[in-house]
Amino acid sequence: MRLHRLRVTAFGPFGSPQEVDFDALSTAGLFLLHGATGAGKTSVLDAVCYALYGAVPGARQSPGATLRSDHAAPDAVTEVLLELTVGGRRLEITRRPQQNRPKKRGTGFTTDKAQTWLREYDAEDGWQALSRSHQEVGEEIGQLIGMSREQFCQVVLLPQGDFAKFLRSDAEARGKLLGRLFDTGRFAAVEERLAELRRAAEQQVRGGDERLLALAQRMAQAAGDSADAREWPLPDSRPGEPGLAEAVLAWAAVARAGARERLAVAESALAAAESREAAARTALDDERRLAELQRGHADARRRADELAAAAPRRDAVRERLDRARKADLVAPALALWEQAEREHQGAGRAREHSRAQLPPDLAEAGAEQLAALERKMREDLGALDAARRAERRSAEISAELAGLDRQAKADEELLLETGTWLAAWDATRLRHQERVETAHLAAARAEQLAGQLDPARRRLAAARDRDALEGRLSAAETQQSAARERANAAHEHWLDLREERLRGIAAELAAGLRDGEACAVCGSAEHPAPARVGAGQVDRRTEEAAQEAYRAADAARADAERALASVREQYAARRAEAGGAALAELADEVRQLDAEYGEVRTLAAGLHAAREAFESAEREHDRRRAEQQQATNRVSARTARRELLDREQGALEEELAQARGEAGSVAEQAALLEHRAGLLAAAAADVREVEATAQRLKDADGRLSEAAFRAGFDTPRAAAAAFLDEWQQSELQHRLDDWQREEAAVADRLAEPAAVAAAARPPARTEQAEAAHARVARALREAASALAAARARCDELATLGRRAAEETRRMGPLRIEYDRVARLAGLTAGTSADNERKMRLESYVLAARLEQVAAAASARLGRMSGGRYTLVHSDAKGGRGRSGLGLHVVDAWTGRERDTATLSGGETFFASLALALGLADVVTDEAGGVRLDTLFIDEGFGSLDDQALDEVLDVLDSLRERERSVGIVSHVGDLRRRIPTQLEIVKGRDGSQVRHRNAGAG
């Protein structure tokens, strides 16, 4: 990675734009960055770090701190631009932090978000934009550099003072610094992961042991209090202790054996109890059968006595059933009489109802009189048909007159609305004509603006190209100047080598002399004193190589000149086309033309619509004139029609007044006559029905009296009282049958031999037999309960034993995994006995890195100290018994090894500088071997004497062998004399400024 150019604006102490040319500073290989305290030397390094990573070094990234310069003008934009080459690619990074700026309108400030631009230089196309995303730019730069911000600040911006602290710090502090630089967090993550696995496995094992102990407790509860349990108690091991599973399984086997013995004893006791219960049940059954026979005989005797006492009730029931069967012979005549009675009563009620609706003078009228009045009213009803037709015609005339009224109202509204619209027709026509004329004018203006817009756009495009080519022209001029300088330098180098070769050409010719052969210069075959090749002699191959380098540089110069001429030609052409106007002026002109062209084009586009609207308005005018004339004609026709209808309706109303009479209408009069005729017809029918039902009732009464006499009843009423329906007769017959069956059953029961013999025996003793059976049954239940409990105990102990065995088998692999993980976790954590040095895994990796750093630093420390000191890594134990991050210095003069904290001030500077450079090499290799061509070293040179300072500068100057440039940040005044190439930061009231000083500059 090589830095080329840095430009800062309104950043830190720099109020105005300042630019640092690292290419000019790097030509000498070693340059000095100096200035007064607070001028902003460190701010230059902060700007480099901010451009790459979007943040300044951590120590200066304090909360609430701002990157904006307090010296900057309010409208100045805080910005950092860095041009560098990394990974073979030339990039330009521009960053702007979040900042406040004055509002464009009104007063106050507004906040602009942070912005980032990344560009890449292409030899053919120039600078090409890559991205404006913070994340994408950060990822791209991070991948190219291969280092984090902390690593970059330690490797490129070497804080030499921090490494002096590193030499004197303990192992823990060194571990923190090395861990950040080498990103060993993954090894710490491995340690933490193994510790988590160990804790998880331990928790699983303890959980399994707890479940196993819970099963053991349940087995103890199932086994109960027995001699075996008291003799062999439950194991008192804790979860996680070795041998717990084996002890629980052994105790479970003993508990199961004891339970099986108690099960055998319970089975024997149950068999004996079952035998005793069977004998007691047999005796109880015999006593119960005797008691049942004795109760049956006594019940039969009592029931026989009750049946004898109920003989009179049985005879009464039989007599009642015989009378009911005789009454069944009178039932048909009785039903006929009842039907005639109901019909006569119904006819009488209907006659009274119809009589109530007739006039009082017709209440006692007969059927013939009522029928004659009905015929008279129906004749009057037929005479109203002509009046109905006249009434319907009058209604039609009224409806037509109402329709004429509605038409008249509609035509009146139409005439009013049409008159209003036609009154405004002149103004409407004028408005449409003006709209059409405006669209015509807009179309003409649009054609004119279209002719002006295309040339303006071409000038704007040319101005953009012109401004873009200005940057390319500047870059091309810079490249041409650099190529010319390289060509001149190569030419001078070739001429110098050629002159050196010519000065030593005699030695070159002498090298080709052979004894006895003639000299190519003097021709002599003797060569008494040939010239010798001196130190630094230039041979032919060296000269030709320098000549070839010059030709290549001269070709590159010619290519750069041709490229510059091409860019100048393009720039002149675009500048001539764009004219002298600025880009903003041309852009404003195009915007104004675009806006005006858009407005007039919109107006011109409405020409067709305006014409159609005008034509539509004219058609509407013609339509409304026609509607006005038609409405006027309809008004005249309606007046004549109305007069005709009024005369016809007057004649009809005179005819209807006579036909309606007192009714409101002919239909109402007809309905009244229809209703009265219906009432008369219904009353006549009701009178005739009363007379007919009276005759039928008289005939039924005679037939009923005759039937009752023949059946043996004195009167029809007596026959009706003896009548029973079929269900009642069936019920009486069932009662007689039941009495007869019960008498037979009781006689059979009293004649049974077993019942007679039982009645002769003493009373049965069932209570004593039941008490004896209850005692042996209770003993049997207790024996069965004891057996069930013994079986349940055996089953539960067997089930729990199987679960314990399964749990033990399941936990077997977990215990093996726990032992393995616990051993690895202890080894990586440094707590295992196998880890002799008690080193954690991360410390072990950091120790290896520190050993590499010490080896790289010793190569430079030896040169700085004149071969006296070298750094070595130490595995000696430090605090808390840990080891691995010790660092010692070996003194070659004494041959002893001692701690780096014993070095003097100057020696500490040697060691810390060597350590910083060594660490830079190792971290660079660790980050993927990214070449670092620019380094900065901060302070510490004031503790050196002149000789030590020369040795340190020689070491730093040797970095140029790897084509590196080193910048020293220091206040030491003697360095200004020793290092001619300088970057001075000068502070002032308006902010700091940057000044470049080269060798030979005043």
Side-chain angles (χ1 to χ4, degrees), residues 222-243:
D225 186 13
S226 63
D228 296 335
R230 291 190 295 273
E231 183 180 353
W232 192 283
L234 186 68
D236 59 352
S237 302
R238 296 180 178 276
E241 293 184 1

Side-chain angles (χ1 to χ4, degrees), residues 556-570:
R557 177 194 57 75
D559 292 342
E561 289 179 350
R562 285 192 295 272
L564 176 60
S566 175
V567 173
R568 282 175 175 170
E569 181 179 355
Q570 295 177 24

Side-chain angles (χ1 to χ4, degrees), residues 1 86-87 143-147 924-925 927-932 964:
M1 182 189 73
V86 58
Q143 291 176 0
L144 290 174
I145 298 178
M147 287 182 286
T924 301
D925 295 338
V930 177
R931 182 182 179 86
L932 302 177
R964 282 181 175 175

Side-chain angles (χ1 to χ4, degrees), residues 166-411:
F166 181 82
L167 291 172
R168 297 186 178 92
S169 61
D170 55 11
E172 182 177 0
R174 290 173 182 167
K176 291 181 180 179
L177 176 60
L178 294 175
R180 291 195 305 269
L181 293 178
F182 291 104
D183 190 20
T184 56
R186 57 187 184 278
F187 300 103
V190 170
E191 297 177 21
E192 181 61 28
R193 178 58 178 163
L194 287 173
E196 291 178 0
L197 292 176
R198 178 186 61 77
R199 289 191 294 270
E202 182 181 6
Q203 185 176 3
Q204 290 180 341
V205 170
R206 289 179 64 86
D209 288 348
E210 290 175 355
R211 290 191 295 272
L212 200 57
L213 285 175
L215 291 174
Q217 291 291 343
R218 292 180 59 184
M219 285 188 282
Q221 294 175 0
D225 186 13
S226 63
D228 296 335
R230 291 190 295 273
E231 183 180 353
W232 192 283
L234 186 68
D236 59 352
S237 302
R238 296 180 178 276
E241 293 184 1
L244 173 63
E246 292 77 5
V248 170
L249 293 179
W251 182 87
V254 173
R256 289 195 300 274
R260 284 193 293 270
E261 291 178 0
R262 284 183 280 173
L263 176 61
V265 173
E267 289 175 347
S268 299
L270 179 62
E274 287 176 346
S275 299
R276 290 190 296 273
E277 193 272 338
R281 179 177 291 279
T282 301
L284 176 61
D285 291 342
D286 293 341
E287 292 296 325
R288 284 177 174 170
R289 280 194 296 272
L290 177 60
E292 183 66 24
L293 290 172
Q294 291 177 346
R295 282 195 301 270
H297 187 272
D299 290 342
R301 174 57 59 188
R302 184 179 64 255
R303 186 55 183 161
D305 296 339
E306 291 175 353
L307 290 174
R313 293 197 306 273
R314 182 170 63 253
D315 295 340
V317 170
R318 184 178 288 112
E319 183 182 359
R320 178 76 176 88
L321 181 59
D322 292 341
R323 286 178 61 80
R325 287 172 178 170
K326 292 179 180 180
D328 287 342
L329 299 176
V330 188
L334 179 61
L336 182 60
W337 181 85
E338 290 176 349
Q339 175 66 26
E341 176 68 18
R342 286 194 298 273
E343 291 177 355
H344 181 65
Q345 292 177 356
R349 287 192 296 272
R351 174 70 180 95
E352 294 299 327
H353 177 72
S354 60
R355 181 184 294 173
Q357 295 180 350
L358 293 176
D361 56 342
L362 298 178
E364 300 298 332
E368 295 301 331
Q369 182 183 358
L370 295 173
L373 290 174
E374 178 196 0
R375 287 192 298 273
K376 175 66 171 62
M377 287 188 179
R378 291 197 181 279
E379 292 174 359
D380 294 339
L381 185 61
L384 291 177
D385 289 341
R388 285 195 186 97
R389 289 192 295 271
E391 187 176 42
R392 284 196 296 271
R393 176 55 185 162
S394 177
E396 292 173 357
I397 293 174
S398 296
E400 186 175 355
L401 288 174
L404 292 176
D405 290 340
R406 288 193 298 272
Q407 293 175 7
K409 184 178 180 181
D411 286 340

Side-chain angles (χ1 to χ4, degrees), residues 39 44 60 69 351 429 444 519 561 622 625 792 932 973 993:
V44 175
R60 293 183 287 279
S69 175
R351 174 70 180 95
R429 180 175 56 187
C519 175
E561 289 179 350
D622 296 340
R625 289 293 299 273
L932 302 177
Q993 295 183 352

Side-chain angles (χ1 to χ4, degrees), residues 507-514 517:
E508 182 179 341
L509 294 174
L513 294 177
R514 300 291 185 269
E517 295 181 2

Side-chain angles (χ1 to χ4, degrees), residues 724-741:
L724 293 176
D725 60 21
E726 184 178 356
W727 180 83
Q728 291 172 330
Q729 294 180 22
S730 176
E731 179 68 20
L732 293 177
Q733 185 62 48
H734 287 162
R735 289 174 64 186
L736 293 174
D737 294 342
D738 290 342
W739 275 326
Q740 186 177 359
R741 284 193 297 271

